[in-house]
């Protein structure tokens, strides 16, 4: 299918937009198709989906109330074709049940932190500008990054930085954090960035960009429970797909991408015990992979939008109902 030209907006460019649309197109071109944008953000992908597939209905989820407000304004021209819901994406089954939508034809995830959250100084997501250490995607609930830094036991902080930030210097950073918080609790990002710079050996500061980025990533994942939520959401999204339906997932770091890869791989292999001469229907694969490994953004896209650089795109198609 040839997709229509996307209307030019003054909001942020969605990452790998054209490729995502092309991967979802065969399912969403069907009359009466429903697509779920599990990570609505500022509505860039959703606007493109509604524009490109004029008969499709969209359900957009986001935990961030400010994102929902802005996306609602952006998608207002599409009227009741767009239903926006304040929810975390692992609540997908409950949302579909409430909306009385048994099956959908498309699911899109654009994971990680949104442009809105990075650019709004008061949220504390960005290490490049001083702000309160909040990092909650939904500011109506949960604990902030400052509370994590100020109250977690040292061993737990080390685990978080290693597991979620893949930070090799986790112990050194946490020792400095514990010493500093005894004198004065953490409240702002600039103090944490400075502490990390001072704590790291010179060799560790020479590569990999800003030395604070891994710690900030780890805190953000912990505050929002991102990996645990994704672990629940991906199988639920696959279950929500009708046969022939398609799912596309954009990840931005290896931990997310690994989870996506595992769920897609499990769905695309038969689960029969070894040695069966014929594989019964209930053991046949439920998914067909649509991408060979993870697809990367083009050099041109990265040049235009630096936030696209770490993106990894995987997609799959539902090929049979669950049985047995």
């Amino acid at each position: 299918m040839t997709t229509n030209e996307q209307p030019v907006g003054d909001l942020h460019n969605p990452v790998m937009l054209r490729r995502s649309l092309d991967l979802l197109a065969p399912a969403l071109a069907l009359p009466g198709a429903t697509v779920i944008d599990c990570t609505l953000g500022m509505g860039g992908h959703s606007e493109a989906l509604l524009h490109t597939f004029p008969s499709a209905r969209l359900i957009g989820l986001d935990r961030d109330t400010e994102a929902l407000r802005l996306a609602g304004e952006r998608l207002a021209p599409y009227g009741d074709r767009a239903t926006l819901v304040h929810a975390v994406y692992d609540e997908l089954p409950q949302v579909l049940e409430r909306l009385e939508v048994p099956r959908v034809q498309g699911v899109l995830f654009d994971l990680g932190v949104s442009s809105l959250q990075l650019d709004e100084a008061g949220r504390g997501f960005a290490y490049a500008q001083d702000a309160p250490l909040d990092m909650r995607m939904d500011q109506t609930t949960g604990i902030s990054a400052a509370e994590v830094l100020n109250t977690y036991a040292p061993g737990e902080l080390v685990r978080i930085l290693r597991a979620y930030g893949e930070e090799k210097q986790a112990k050194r950073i946490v020792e400095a954090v514990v010493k500093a918080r005894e004198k004065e609790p953490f409240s702002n990002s600039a103090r944490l960035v400075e502490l990390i710079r001072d704590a790291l050996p010179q060799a560790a500061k020479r590569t990999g960009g800003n030395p604070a980025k891994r710690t900030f990533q780890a805190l953000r994942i912990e505050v929002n429970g991102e990996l645990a939520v994704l672990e629940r959401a991906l199988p639920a999204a696959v279950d929500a797909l009708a046969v022939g339906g398609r799912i596309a997932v954009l990840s931005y770091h290896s931990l997310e991408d690994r989870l996506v890869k595992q769920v897609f791989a499990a769905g695309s292999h038969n689960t029969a015990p070894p040695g069966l001469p014929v594989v019964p229907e209930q053991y046949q694969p439920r998914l067909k992979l649509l991408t060979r490994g993870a697809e990367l953004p083009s050099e041109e896209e990265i040049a235009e939008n630096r936030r696209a650089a770490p993106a990894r795109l995987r997609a799959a198609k539902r090929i049979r109902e669950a049985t047995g």
Side-chain angles (χ1 to χ4, degrees):
M1 163 179 175
T2 305
T3 51
N4 299 328
E5 284 306 308
Q6 167 63 5
V8 177
D10 58 355
L11 297 173
H12 298 277
N13 296 329
V15 171
M16 296 183 78
L17 176 60
R18 180 50 50 123
R19 184 61 180 140
S20 301
L21 293 175
D22 287 345
L23 285 164
L24 295 171
L28 298 188
L30 301 171
T34 297
V35 58
I36 308 168
D37 185 345
C38 288
T39 46
L40 179 67
M42 294 176 77
H45 280 107
S46 282
E47 183 181 33
L49 287 163
L50 287 163
H51 176 78
T52 307
F53 307 107
S55 68
R57 175 190 175 191
L58 177 124
I59 300 167
L61 312 184
D62 210 292
R63 62 170 84 182
D64 188 326
T65 52
E66 179 64 6
L68 283 165
R69 184 186 70 78
L70 290 169
E73 291 175 6
R74 184 176 191 165
L75 302 179
Y78 296 96
D80 60 6
R81 287 181 57 210
T83 303
L84 308 189
V85 184
H86 183 221
V88 186
Y89 43 74
D90 65 340
E91 297 172 300
L92 176 64
Q94 295 91 320
V95 170
L96 292 180
E97 189 179 346
R98 202 161 65 239
L99 295 174
E100 298 181 342
V101 177
R103 283 282 190 273
V104 299
Q105 284 64 46
V107 179
L108 176 68
F109 286 87
D110 182 15
L111 301 170
V113 65
S114 74
S115 296
L116 166 68
Q117 290 154 348
L118 281 172
D119 292 343
E120 197 177 307
R123 306 291 289 271
F125 285 97
Y127 39 78
Q129 50 192 346
D130 191 23
L133 271 170
D134 191 320
M135 298 197 194
R136 289 172 300 162
M137 291 177 179
D138 181 352
Q139 292 190 299
T140 66
T141 186
I143 67 166
S144 68
E147 289 173 84
V148 171
L149 278 176
N150 294 327
T151 64
Y152 277 30
E156 185 66 357
L157 284 174
V158 170
R159 183 193 69 78
I160 289 164
L161 263 59
R162 282 182 180 154
Y164 300 157
E166 300 175 288
E167 175 55 79
K168 292 174 184 165
Q169 305 291 334
K171 200 160 180 233
R172 195 187 285 254
I173 291 169
V174 169
E175 282 170 1
V177 164
V178 170
K179 205 177 289 185
R181 78 186 186 185
E182 284 170 3
K183 295 176 188 166
E184 185 191 343
F186 283 88
S187 61
N188 275 52
S189 55
R191 182 175 171 223
L192 178 59
V193 171
E194 191 180 344
L195 175 140
I196 293 167
R197 282 190 196 281
D198 292 344
L200 294 182
Q202 282 303 320
K205 290 190 269 195
R206 286 193 201 108
T207 57
N210 191 307
K213 76 175 181 184
R214 289 178 294 276
T215 297
F216 272 64
Q217 174 181 298
L219 287 171
R220 191 198 83 218
I221 290 172
E222 171 64 17
V223 164
N224 297 291
E226 288 174 43
L227 292 176
V229 168
L230 185 60
E231 224 167 339
R232 294 188 292 269
L234 286 169
V238 169
D239 287 344
L241 284 176
V243 172
R246 291 172 170 233
I247 177 171
V249 186
L250 280 155
S251 310
Y252 294 86
H253 57 75
S254 59
L255 302 169
E256 291 172 340
D257 184 53
R258 201 175 303 143
L259 275 178
V260 180
K261 180 182 178 182
Q262 286 167 354
V263 170
F264 284 8
S268 65
H269 288 100
N270 79 61
T271 55
L276 291 182
V278 177
V279 177
E281 171 72 11
Q282 69 262 33
Y283 298 125
Q284 295 283 358
R286 289 194 302 156
L287 294 177
K288 177 187 176 186
L289 301 183
L290 300 174
T291 50
R292 293 187 61 160
E295 293 189 5
L296 311 180
S298 67
E299 288 178 16
E300 291 80 9
E301 179 170 5
I302 294 169
E304 287 173 18
N305 179 10
R306 62 183 174 77
R307 286 179 185 159
R312 302 289 180 269
L313 175 61
R314 294 180 188 269
K317 173 185 174 182
R318 180 79 180 257
I319 54 175
R320 75 168 181 88
E321 283 289 356
T323 54

